[in-house]
Amino acid sequence: MQFNAFGLHKRILTAIEKVGYTEPTEIQKLAIPKALEGRDIMGLAQTGTGKTAAFALPFLQSHLTSARGRIRVLVLAPTRELADQINDAVKTLGVHTPLRSTAVYGGVNIARQIKTFERGVEIVVACPGRLLDHIGRGTVDLSHVDCLVLDEADRMFDMGFLPDIKKILNVLPRRRQTMLFSATMPQEIRRLTEKILRSPETVQAGALAPASSVSHALYPVAESRKSGLLMEILRRSETESVIVFTRTKHRARRVARQLEKAGHPATSLQGNLSQNQRQRAIEGFRSGRYTIMVATDIASRGIDVSQVSHVINYDVPDTVEAYTHRIGRTGRVEKTGDAFTFATNEDRSMISAIERVLGELIPRRDMEGFASTVETQAGRNGAAAGKRPRGAVSQRPRRYPRKNERSGRPQSQVA
Ligand code: AMP
């Protein structure tokens, strides 16, 4: 299937061609035709599935001939980085349309945003907090919005934005198209969808389980030896760009410094940075000036770096969802990636939980001089440490059949 099968305007098709998308992704195939019919959409998709174009292409098409100067499309996103990315994607895909888009979030000069509104935009991509600020000041007019997108709704909920979102919904016209995208469907989001979506079309891609193009591997290691193991992996593997996840800000900073000292172009992304420093780190990583980014979960939310070859979990994440989000950054559309996880004995139960969701055992690897053991149910059942040749870093771990492949059930964590 090709993009021209959707009946999109030539101006949009030209932009799609220019950006290099040849074939729609799964979520795009499912969502675009329904969204073009004007249907409400409930999209179950994680970052990396092509969901941004899945909602952006339909609203660009349906607003091609709308009157200019009024906000017609509102996209809500949890983080500044995600808002910037969506805005960039909308600008790229809409480059040949007359539609103007802007990103609106806190931590930057509000006067400039007000000026942009005054000059006139048709599409606003906003974080809830700052948008509410504008609503309170009367500096934004949302009375002509006829298309609302809530992106990464589950993360907005995690970050405590639900009350803000409800206030924003109160000032929007009721007659509108609404599209909600979420990687998971906690109870609160389900309730929200029941309230705000009208007979939605549910489209799903990837569900909770990460892209099958990702190879996972677990390195059992003692806490004190993690940084040595990291250096050794970087020395032996062919990495292009790496995100290293740590549990704390302090550790992210420390690991980035150690990497820099060892001669790696590394930067860190953690909560203590100013907005400018964050932007510089993200841009530097995107442009390839830094090949390693050490980040905490919160600081890295929503960053779209499509070239990540390796995700290294220096610390095991606190939740299974965080694992899925982290490795959602590798193995994106038409690319493969590796996800390495360092695990100490204390991480046993979390590793088991992750394996249950993946529907597969994470192959254990050991690296000469660093091996330790992590005894999990899965490990005892066969994927135990030491099964692989020592130091077999470049070898791809075997992929186990996913749970749903075995049972034939649809790939969903949502039901
Ligand atoms: P998203 O899930 O929207 O964050 O998209 C993930 C990445 O996939 C982004 O870098 C997009 O530019 C890219 N992408 C989106 N749609 C396609 C497509 N049809 N073909 C190839 N890449 C795509």
Side-chain angles (χ1 to χ4, degrees):
M1 184 191 193
Q2 299 216 313
F3 277 99
N4 54 17
F6 295 129
L8 294 167
H9 194 280
K10 237 181 96 198
R11 291 178 172 197
I12 298 176
L13 287 174
T14 311
I16 294 173
E17 201 177 312
K18 200 162 145 213
V19 78
Y21 303 167
T22 48
E23 215 192 297
T25 64
E26 194 185 346
I27 194 82
Q28 292 164 1
K29 280 181 199 160
L30 298 169
I32 292 174
K34 297 295 171 188
L36 285 172
E37 284 172 19
R39 293 278 304 272
D40 280 2
I41 301 285
M42 177 153 96
L44 296 166
Q46 56 181 329
T47 303
T49 52
K51 65 185 164 67
T52 314
F55 62 71
L57 292 171
F59 72 57
L60 287 169
Q61 168 85 13
S62 59
H63 291 85
L64 264 181
T65 54
S66 295
R68 275 165 46 96
R70 286 172 170 168
I71 300 170
R72 306 296 300 268
V73 179
L74 173 65
V75 182
L76 293 179
T79 62
R80 307 158 194 192
E81 286 78 20
L82 185 61
D84 271 337
Q85 273 162 39
I86 297 170
N87 186 40
D88 289 347
V90 169
K91 286 193 156 140
T92 305
L93 295 170
V95 64
H96 302 301
T97 74
L99 299 166
R100 292 162 294 178
S101 174
T102 189
V104 169
Y105 43 73
V108 294
N109 191 326
I110 196 164
R112 214 179 283 165
Q113 294 172 349
I114 295 172
K115 279 228 170 71
T116 307
F117 288 147
E118 284 170 356
R119 276 200 302 271
V121 285
E122 292 75 37
I123 301 161
V124 171
V125 185
C127 295
R130 177 55 70 91
L131 185 66
L132 209 53
D133 201 352
H134 280 290
I135 293 171
R137 293 165 181 241
T139 47
V140 66
D141 176 9
L142 298 174
S143 65
H144 295 92
V145 169
D146 57 14
C147 177
L148 169 71
V149 180
L150 296 151
D151 196 16
E152 305 210 349
D154 50 351
R155 285 205 201 166
M156 288 205 275
F157 170 71
D158 283 349
M159 293 170 80
F161 280 138
L162 203 53
D164 286 359
I165 291 172
K166 286 182 177 160
K167 284 181 203 152
I168 294 168
L169 285 166
N170 279 338
V171 305
L172 296 181
R174 284 184 186 278
R175 268 179 68 91
R176 60 161 197 263
Q177 179 180 34
T178 306
M179 300 188 251
L180 180 145
F181 284 79
S182 196
T184 59
M185 200 43 65
Q187 198 60 39
E188 293 75 10
I189 301 296
R190 197 176 286 277
R191 252 183 255 135
L192 181 71
T193 62
E194 281 161 12
K195 256 201 198 141
I196 66 169
L197 299 180
R198 279 189 215 142
S199 28
E201 178 74 19
T202 302
V203 293
Q204 182 167 354
L208 241 188
S212 56
S213 52
V214 178
S215 297
H216 309 256
L218 193 81
Y219 286 86
V221 63
E223 189 65 52
S224 60
R225 316 226 43 206
K226 283 181 175 178
S227 69
L229 175 61
L230 177 63
M231 299 295 170
E232 195 57 22
I233 286 182
L234 292 171
R235 196 174 69 77
R236 294 199 194 192
S237 313
E238 280 174 25
T239 57
E240 288 160 33
S241 57
V242 185
I243 300 189
V244 179
F245 283 101
T246 63
R247 194 168 288 150
T248 64
K249 304 187 233 186
H250 171 72
R251 191 172 283 196
R253 219 173 27 234
R254 177 170 61 77
V255 173
R257 280 210 198 110
Q258 284 172 343
L259 289 167
E260 270 185 304
K261 270 199 188 143
H264 293 285
T267 182
S268 69
L269 192 64
Q270 26 81 20
N272 285 349
L273 301 182
S274 69
Q275 178 63 11
N276 271 347
Q277 289 170 318
R278 284 172 70 83
Q279 220 93 28
R280 264 206 305 276
I282 292 170
E283 281 312 313
F285 187 59
R286 263 200 208 129
S287 68
R289 184 152 56 92
Y290 303 114
T291 55
I292 307 175
M293 161 101 85
V294 190
T296 58
D297 286 300
I298 295 188
S300 72
R301 276 188 166 153
I303 318 173
D304 169 30
V305 189
S306 28
Q307 301 294 336
V308 172
S309 65
H310 289 69
V311 168
I312 298 180
N313 295 312
Y314 190 93
D315 296 312
V316 167
D318 294 331
T319 62
V320 178
E321 274 162 31
Y323 182 84
T324 315
H325 280 307
R326 286 180 181 186
I327 67 167
R329 294 182 173 79
T330 188
R332 288 186 169 220
V333 186
E334 292 171 6
K335 295 202 175 68
T336 56
D338 285 285
F340 297 156
T341 299
F342 295 179
T344 68
N345 239 337
E346 281 74 62
D347 300 319
R348 272 191 309 253
S349 57
M350 185 47 66
I351 296 296
S352 296
I354 292 169
E355 288 177 328
R356 275 197 298 278
V357 168
L358 293 180
E360 60 186 41
L361 308 179
I362 305 178
R364 272 58 171 169
R365 292 186 190 177
D366 61 359
M367 175 76 75
E368 264 161 285
F370 293 95
S372 161
T373 50
V374 177
E375 268 286 306
T376 63
Q377 194 56 43
R380 282 192 291 274
N381 288 348
K387 279 206 147 189
R388 237 149 238 296
R390 293 189 149 248
V393 181
S394 59
Q395 195 173 337
R396 282 200 174 274
R398 175 183 143 212
R399 200 170 90 69
Y400 291 78
R402 286 189 196 289
K403 221 181 258 153
N404 49 344
E405 284 171 5
R406 289 195 294 264
S407 66
R409 268 182 281 122
Q411 194 174 318
S412 168
Q413 295 298 324
V414 178

